Amino acid sequence: MTALQAAFFQSPPTLGNQYDDDRVLRSYLLRTLPADMLRDIEPALREMGELSGGPFHDLQLRDRLNEPRLTQWDAWGHRIDRVEVSPLWQAAARLAAEKGLIATAYERAHGELSRVHHFALTYLFEPSSDVYTCPLAMTDGAAKTLLAHGNRALVDRALPRLTSRDPARMWTSGQWMTERTGGSDVGLTETVARLEDGQWRLFGTKWFTSAATSEMALTLARPEGNGPGGRGLALFYLETRDDAGRYNGIAINRLKDKLGTRKVPTAELTLTGTRAQPVAGLSDGVRAIAPMLNVTRTWNAVGAVGGMRRALALSRDYAQRRVAFGARLADKPLHRETLAGMQAEYDGAFHLAFRAVELLGQEEAGTLSPGEVELLRILVPIAKLLTGKQAVAVASEALEAFGGAGYVEDTGLPRLLRDAQVLSIWEGTTNVLSLDVLRALSKGAALSAWQEEAAQLCALTREPRLVAAARVARETLDRAERFALLAMSREPQGMEAGARRFAMTLGRSMELALLLRHGQWALDHQQDGRPAAAALRFLRNGIDLLGEDALADDLAESAALANDTELPFGG
Ligand code: MFK
């Protein structure tokens, strides 16, 4: 044997059919869907699993360095602002139309469960899509928003395009909200809407627009003469090009050079008199765009669990192959512990995201109870903020599970972490969404709806260890409720400071409750102990970020630590 033959090479991880291999998804669908519906949709899910684990994954690896390109001028000096996207994105656009990645939700072939079908497809597609799910999320959000406002002319014009299954007819939509004033405090929007000869025209700069290739967009602008803040804004519909293919008063200044989502042509735009139409009156734009936010946040949560699942699939496959210190990683107790902890986080995130999906489907079918309306209002931001953080943690751990290979670009693995990192930023950061949860709680009965949901889930456990874990979930939620009531009455600033830990505690307790319910079901119907084990492992990972002394936070100490200012201490 030559020295070269004896050399050691690691073997890369491989993927199988991403539907067949996904125990968590399949078990969830078995519990949630009527048998005839599952039989009906399974071939499409299996096909998506094949595409996602096969050709799309291969193309994603081959096409790694191919990023979107902006060409602003042609050879003769004309401003053209042409954006070219990667081959995978072009294939993804065709696939999205043909496989109904928007249409499935609006055709509603399976009533209130259509969203489960729709988001199961999306979840399978997402990790191999190079975040083509971004324009799809906004397309879905735009369709939902136009329908919510019942603007007949716009619905008739745009909806058949947004929900088309014909790649040649299908449009995607942008959601242009973020300006130089920031993405969180949308009320600061500077874009102005001016009525000229009966036509609304928009003037301003949009600082983050994902993705610049869309045929239409929903955006916010302040009609001249309106007051400040979100109330003074109006929601506008615009098409990016006219019938001759010329831009509608839009200049693309540059594409963003981002940490991740590198294939998404996120652009800075100037609107120079863009023709637009109001969607829902001439004020209250922030409220008017809220349906869109709730849909894109749900996509965000589903994207987060799709990414976590991919990180685990690759890490697990690699652990079967990689031998070190005389054994496969899969046989090393500490490595197994690490993977088990990641799996439990993913299981919890999966069930929370799909609970939001179920309720969204019910909302669209008109079958939500008043309590479920309240529940959905806070479930969406909580699912978004919690799963975003879980996705970053799981992706980071997955890279580590590959050692140095996880840190090397041409393995394709670093993308997992880069693309995860955006999930807790766009569509509302963790802190902004935590405050959104507080505002929503202060307006309605969402907290009691949350408690009731958790109580019902916990009551379904019978296996003694699951019953004990259910007790912990309930006690944690009771403590969180006491924290909210006390803090709200005593110290609004204290409540704000605790908002993230409060929202996370609500979210993690609900993830546990959902895991326990599914764990019991899987014991009863599949004789499978893995979901129950995931629930118990999840509890060990920790669900309570408030603790007994939640109200003991000292605001002066936090301020001194945050700003590094002097702090007299003791006495
Ligand atoms: C794979 C995944 C793909 C995902 C793709 C996404 C691509 C992304 C491109 C972007 O990132 S776009 C930028 C995203 N930006 C945001 O998400 C905005 C973040 N900021 C917030 O969400 C703030 O909370 C908010 C702008 C809403 C605060 O503004 P205001 O002006 O202080 O609004 P306020 O007073 O909280 O709410 C105004 C009204 O809207 C209120 O109703 P009323 O007027 O009746 O009181 C609120 O109840 C209502 N509202 C606000 N948020 C709502 C909502 N209603 C229902 N649901 C909500 N989420």
Side-chain angles (χ1 to χ4, degrees):
M1 187 182 283
T2 66
L4 192 61
Q5 279 169 328
F8 172 80
F9 292 98
Q10 290 185 37
S11 58
T14 60
L15 293 174
N17 181 306
Q18 291 301 284
Y19 175 70
D20 285 334
D21 288 355
D22 195 329
R23 170 183 60 80
V24 173
L25 172 67
R26 295 183 65 187
S27 172
Y28 164 78
L29 293 177
L30 203 59
R31 176 175 59 74
T32 312
L33 303 184
D36 55 344
M37 177 179 167
L38 185 53
R39 257 198 314 277
D40 191 26
I41 68 171
E42 200 162 43
L45 296 173
R46 184 161 285 123
E47 183 191 21
M48 188 62 84
E50 194 57 40
L51 290 168
S52 186
F56 271 78
H57 180 59
D58 295 345
L59 181 55
Q60 192 175 33
L61 291 174
R62 272 203 315 279
D63 196 27
R64 188 177 57 81
L65 295 174
N66 195 348
E67 298 194 344
R69 262 203 314 273
L70 168 65
T71 306
Q72 286 177 307
W73 308 96
D74 75 3
W76 311 102
H78 302 107
R79 183 83 190 246
I80 52 170
D81 289 356
R82 188 176 63 229
V83 177
E84 290 159 280
V85 295
S86 68
L88 193 153
W89 262 53
Q90 293 167 35
R94 283 191 299 278
L95 184 95
E98 286 167 359
K99 306 299 175 200
L101 289 180
I102 301 297
T104 308
Y106 291 85
E107 290 164 357
R108 223 171 279 155
H110 298 285
E112 64 179 27
L113 290 170
S114 300
R115 275 292 181 181
V116 174
H117 176 197
H118 165 245
F119 272 115
L121 283 171
T122 301
Y123 156 86
L124 289 168
F125 172 60
E126 194 278 338
S128 293
S129 77
D130 274 343
V131 200
Y132 191 75
T133 38
C134 167
L136 291 180
M138 294 183 290
T139 301
D140 189 354
K144 170 107 179 174
T145 305
L146 293 178
L147 281 171
H149 293 298
N151 184 324
R152 213 54 257 168
L154 294 181
V155 168
D156 289 348
R157 181 160 173 85
L159 214 76
R161 296 287 198 158
L162 299 174
T163 60
S164 174
R165 283 179 179 264
D166 175 358
R169 275 183 59 74
M170 185 180 171
W171 283 357
T172 58
S173 175
Q175 169 197 291
W176 299 352
M177 287 212 317
T178 302
E179 302 204 352
R180 284 187 299 246
T181 44
S184 295
D185 192 354
V186 175
L188 296 177
T189 292
E190 292 177 324
T191 295
V192 168
R194 195 174 295 150
L195 191 59
E196 293 179 356
D197 301 327
Q199 170 68 62
W200 285 99
R201 289 182 180 275
L202 310 185
F203 299 86
T205 302
K206 297 291 172 181
W207 188 237
F208 272 91
T209 59
S210 307
T213 44
S214 297
E215 286 81 6
M216 60 161 279
L218 296 186
T219 193
L220 295 172
R222 197 174 308 282
E224 272 186 327
N226 272 20
R231 287 200 188 286
L233 295 172
L235 177 62
F236 284 92
Y237 163 96
L238 62 87
E239 290 173 15
T240 50
R241 293 176 185 268
D242 64 17
D243 291 343
R246 287 178 303 248
Y247 273 116
N248 171 17
I250 298 167
I252 304 184
N253 302 334
R254 59 175 165 166
L255 300 184
K256 295 285 195 189
D257 186 6
K258 297 164 292 174
L259 171 72
T261 67
R262 300 278 312 178
K263 307 300 175 111
V264 182
T266 305
E268 294 169 22
L269 306 179
T270 302
L271 309 183
T272 55
T274 309
R275 293 181 303 284
Q277 297 174 56
V279 175
L282 291 174
S283 64
D284 293 303
V286 169
R287 187 183 335 138
I289 206 168
M292 186 160 199
L293 298 181
N294 290 331
V295 167
T296 55
R297 287 169 185 172
T298 307
W299 275 77
N300 209 88
V302 172
V305 289
M308 278 187 253
R309 155 78 191 143
R310 175 59 52 88
L312 270 156
L314 292 169
S315 307
R316 195 164 15 244
D317 181 78
Y318 187 67
Q320 299 291 333
R321 302 161 184 276
R322 177 77 170 116
V323 174
F325 300 110
R328 295 178 317 159
L329 292 182
D331 297 324
K332 301 268 185 199
L334 181 52
H335 195 74
R336 286 201 300 233
E337 276 302 297
T338 309
L339 291 183
M342 290 159 68
Q343 177 71 32
E345 289 300 306
Y346 152 71
D347 275 44
F350 177 94
H351 286 283
L352 191 69
F354 273 85
R355 184 66 188 124
V357 165
E358 289 164 22
L359 290 175
L360 178 65
Q362 283 180 247
E363 181 198 52
E364 291 169 346
T367 58
L368 281 183
S369 69
E372 286 168 334
V373 171
E374 297 279 354
L375 181 66
L376 180 60
R377 175 65 185 89
I378 60 167
L379 183 54
V380 170
I382 289 176
K384 194 280 187 189
L385 73 89
L386 179 53
T387 59
K389 287 292 192 197
Q390 290 174 301
V392 176
V394 167
S396 171
E397 205 59 83
L399 262 55
E400 197 173 328
F402 283 90
Y407 203 65
V408 170
E409 290 292 352
D410 56 4
T411 61
L413 295 164
R415 182 198 66 76
L416 293 170
L417 181 57
R418 279 202 300 268
D419 286 353
Q421 185 64 64
V422 81
L423 294 165
S424 59
I425 297 175
W426 68 8
E427 295 308 307
T429 63
T430 311
N431 284 359
V432 164
L433 292 179
S434 301
L435 296 173
D436 179 56
V437 171
L438 282 194
R439 274 197 304 273
L441 287 186
S442 68
K443 282 185 184 174
L447 195 50
S448 13
W450 195 267
Q451 291 278 38
E452 198 173 313
E453 166 94 354
Q456 281 171 8
L457 294 167
C458 288
L460 294 171
T461 53
R462 281 178 289 97
E463 200 281 332
R465 288 163 73 199
L466 300 186
V467 172
R471 201 172 312 119
V472 179
R474 297 292 314 278
E475 285 164 5
T476 307
L477 281 172
D478 286 344
R479 221 170 17 250
E481 183 169 6
R482 280 200 301 280
F483 163 77
L485 295 174
L486 262 173
M488 274 178 192
S489 63
R490 263 205 230 159
E491 172 66 284
Q493 283 219 13
M495 186 66 211
E496 178 170 333
R500 178 198 282 229
R501 289 182 295 128
F502 174 66
M504 293 271 193
T505 302
L506 291 190
R508 291 192 69 83
S509 305
M510 187 62 84
E511 286 192 0
L512 176 59
L514 289 161
L515 286 172
L516 290 168
R517 181 265 302 266
H518 192 74
Q520 184 68 58
W521 180 88
L523 288 177
D524 294 344
H525 295 88
Q526 298 187 294
Q527 290 71 51
D528 185 355
R530 286 170 290 186
L536 298 175
R537 172 65 54 134
F538 186 84
L539 176 57
R540 286 219 296 286
N541 287 352
I543 61 167
D544 186 354
L545 282 86
L546 286 166
E548 292 292 347
D549 59 348
L551 282 168
D553 268 359
D554 187 309
L555 295 173
E557 284 175 13
S558 295
L561 287 175
N563 303 328
D564 203 19
T565 48
E566 280 184 22
L567 176 72
F569 202 78

